[in-house]
Amino acid sequence: MTQSLVRYSRILAIVGDIVTVHVPLPESGVSPISFGDLAMIESREGDELPRMAQVVLLDRDRVSLQVFSGTKGLSTHSAVRFLGYPMQVTFSLNILGRAFSGTGQPIDRGPALSDEPRVEIDGPTVNPVRRVLASHMIRTDVPMVDVFNCLVESQKIPIFSVAGEPYNELLAKIGTHADADVVVFGGIGLTFDDYHFFRQTFEQAGVLARTVMYVHQGSDPTVEALLIPDMALAVAEHFAVEEGQRVLVLLTDMTAYADALKEVGIAMEHVPSNRGYIGDLYSQLARRYEKACDYKGAGSVTILSVTTMPGDDVTHPVPDNTGYITEGQFYLHDGVIDPFGSLSRLKQHVIGKVTREDHSQIMNTMVRFYAESVDARQKQAMSFELSEYDLRLLQFGDLFRERFMDIRVSMPLEQALDLCWQTLAECFAPAELLMKQSLVDKYYPARSQGVEAHYG
């Protein structure tokens, strides 16, 4: 008999958003239910719509379900029907420009997409044979990214920040300026204002038509937060493989995702690990981040996420585990991207290869002088006597923060490199740069050659 026609009415427990139901084992001893299968929970009175749920635990004849819309008002006299297939999400070109909830339902008042094809979510990671070495840059027009820590296709990299920082503004800006074919946005635990901000930003920038949004708001059931990354990544994979698109996935906030995992784990009575988080937190995060890939003969999936650090503690379990999985990080502090803590481990694949020849040296020189300017600022704060060179370092530091570190600054990479040369020329003589002479002769602004005599 088809599994979806069988109703199981012996509900053993309702804890949080978890429902445990008794499913008798057949003579073979193998449960007819599979992990991840969808189910419908129906009220015997028939006075409310069925609730969707998903199998999250199989313990012989005890099956635990996550109820997507929550268990509030759910009776133990309800009945469960298993549908025999896992969670699916709509995928077609018609989803571009649309916004969906944590259960995949449209929330933008647009037409229903019930007749569109659907694909399974949370599948296995890509066969390594299909992966190719990252070699293409994703331009963002953010100088602290493009110049100092390039975002590379197939990269997985988080933005480490704290509550109150403008990380959503940075994420939205990158999404609107990135030279990707498709942007897939996944928001976890957002306020309505946050959701409206992202949608309005994409719309005003004219990129909404190539954007798909999956949004879990803070007022939505917790379990729906767990589906957001899987839906976003499933859609991104199909755009990359079937349509050959270069896809950028934006996720915020993965700490909220980990907190949802912890809440569900507590409801399922899992033994807690570090600071109450589930023991397989690393594996759960890695399964999602490893979906980043550059496919042989197809497109690519790049993942840029936000990970907030409670108490600005980088040893917190979520950023700590994330750092072992991802290929670098951007540190956002005091409204600017920190050039010291930020790192892109794949930037060497594109700097000087697909970018201008002076990129590597100008990047290193700018960071070196900025580090010296920080030291000069400390000397000034301690009332030490400053040399003429220290004063020029202070000037350089102010210009660097104003022209490059502010996340509101936008400019193409080549313009940013030229501005780097101009900034150096305003503060230092060519001989002080300690760079290849051929590059200095080619790129050092001619109108600033008198700076050597002035500072000499």
Side-chain angles (χ1 to χ4, degrees):
M1 182 180 294
T2 305
Q3 190 64 36
S4 62
L5 299 180
V6 180
R7 285 177 169 81
Y8 301 91
S9 57
R10 187 181 173 189
I11 293 181
L12 304 176
I14 300 177
V15 180
D17 292 326
I18 305 297
V19 171
T20 302
V21 61
H22 177 261
V23 178
L25 292 175
E27 294 182 0
S28 63
V30 179
S31 175
I33 314 303
S34 299
F35 182 84
D37 278 359
L38 290 179
M40 303 287 290
I41 302 180
E42 303 168 336
S43 171
R44 284 190 177 182
E45 291 76 15
D47 56 355
E48 61 179 77
L49 294 175
R51 306 192 192 193
M52 292 291 297
Q54 186 177 31
V55 176
V56 293
L57 181 65
L58 295 170
D59 184 11
R60 295 187 60 79
D61 60 352
R62 296 168 60 92
V63 179
S64 296
L65 307 166
Q66 282 183 354
V67 184
F68 296 152
S69 58
T71 58
K72 184 177 180 180
L74 190 64
S75 169
T76 54
H77 297 293
S78 303
V80 178
R81 285 194 302 120
F82 294 94
L83 304 184
Y85 56 84
M87 182 66 183
Q88 298 177 329
V89 64
T90 302
F91 173 76
S92 74
L93 296 180
N94 291 329
I95 67 175
L96 291 172
R98 301 297 303 275
F100 302 89
S101 69
T103 56
Q105 301 301 313
I107 58 174
D108 55 3
R109 299 182 180 179
L113 299 173
S114 55
D115 295 331
E116 298 292 336
R118 300 178 68 84
V119 296
E120 294 184 4
I121 71 172
D122 195 23
T125 54
V126 181
N127 187 329
V129 176
R130 293 295 307 275
R131 296 175 182 261
V132 296
L133 186 66
S135 59
H136 303 284
M137 176 182 172
I138 294 183
R139 293 170 177 255
T140 67
D141 289 350
V142 177
M144 292 305 298
V145 176
D146 289 355
V147 177
F148 300 98
N149 284 290
C150 299
L151 182 62
V152 183
E153 280 189 34
S154 80
Q155 189 169 15
K156 45 190 180 289
I157 188 167
I159 299 171
F160 283 172
S161 190
V162 296
E165 290 289 342
Y167 47 80
N168 283 338
E169 287 83 347
L170 176 60
L171 201 67
K173 181 178 180 180
I174 292 176
T176 57
H177 288 82
D179 61 340
D181 299 322
V182 175
V183 175
V184 180
F185 172 81
I188 307 165
L190 299 183
T191 64
F192 178 80
D193 288 344
D194 289 333
Y195 160 58
H196 181 69
F197 163 75
F198 278 105
R199 185 170 178 83
Q200 186 179 46
T201 301
F202 293 147
E203 189 171 6
Q204 291 177 348
V207 301
L208 188 61
R210 61 180 176 91
T211 302
V212 187
M213 302 184 69
Y214 295 94
V215 179
H216 167 263
Q217 299 184 48
S219 57
D220 295 336
T222 302
V223 295
E224 294 184 15
L226 304 180
L227 299 176
I228 293 294
D230 292 336
M231 288 192 293
L233 292 168
V235 166
E237 282 185 313
H238 281 77
F239 271 119
V241 175
E242 298 180 11
E243 304 295 332
Q245 303 292 301
R246 300 164 60 240
V247 185
L248 175 63
V249 179
L250 307 176
L251 299 173
T252 178
D253 165 10
M254 291 304 286
T255 300
Y257 171 77
D259 289 340
L261 284 174
K262 177 168 68 172
E263 185 171 335
V264 171
I266 292 173
M268 296 176 63
E269 299 182 353
H270 287 171
V271 177
S273 183
N274 189 7
R275 304 197 196 185
Y277 286 91
I278 58 176
D280 64 341
L281 176 62
Y282 178 92
S283 300
Q284 294 290 345
L285 293 174
R287 285 177 59 194
R288 278 77 193 175
Y289 281 116
E290 289 301 331
K291 297 297 180 85
C293 176
D294 195 349
Y295 296 89
K296 181 188 297 184
S300 63
V301 175
T302 307
I303 301 176
L304 177 64
S305 66
V306 168
T307 298
T308 53
M309 303 181 295
D312 201 13
D313 180 12
V314 74
T315 66
H316 184 274
V318 181
D320 187 38
N321 281 280
T322 300
Y324 285 102
I325 300 167
T326 55
E327 293 144 345
Q329 67 281 322
F330 299 125
Y331 274 99
L332 180 64
H333 292 290
D334 300 323
V336 299
I337 298 178
D338 185 357
F340 302 137
S342 301
L343 171 66
S344 171
R345 295 191 178 97
L346 299 186
K347 63 183 178 182
Q348 67 270 16
H349 294 299
V350 297
I351 290 181
K353 298 180 176 64
V354 299
T355 62
R356 224 165 64 181
E357 59 180 340
D358 61 324
H359 190 166
S360 177
Q361 290 233 337
I362 198 70
M363 171 188 68
N364 294 331
T365 301
M366 293 290 287
V367 173
R368 171 167 54 86
F369 278 123
Y370 182 68
E372 292 185 36
S373 75
V374 172
D375 292 339
R377 184 71 62 188
Q378 292 177 344
K379 290 171 61 178
Q380 184 185 47
M382 294 185 290
S383 301
F384 281 94
E385 183 178 354
L386 300 180
S387 66
E388 181 268 341
Y389 180 70
D390 289 331
L391 296 176
R392 286 190 280 133
L393 287 174
L394 294 177
Q395 178 191 0
F396 174 83
D398 293 337
L399 292 175
F400 187 85
R401 284 187 292 272
E402 175 187 344
R403 295 177 177 178
F404 302 99
M405 293 177 64
D406 193 326
I407 65 172
R408 295 171 296 180
V409 175
S410 293
M411 68 184 79
L413 172 61
E414 289 73 20
Q415 181 181 340
L417 292 175
D418 290 339
L419 185 58
C420 287
W421 282 104
Q422 179 60 41
T423 304
L424 289 172
E426 292 177 15
C427 302
F428 306 106
E432 294 176 305
L433 303 183
L434 303 179
M435 299 171 65
K436 288 184 179 179
Q437 191 60 43
S438 59
L439 296 178
V440 175
D441 294 340
K442 185 175 181 179
Y443 294 105
Y444 192 86
R447 61 180 179 274
S448 300
Q449 291 293 341
V451 75
E452 183 170 16
H454 178 73
Y455 289 134

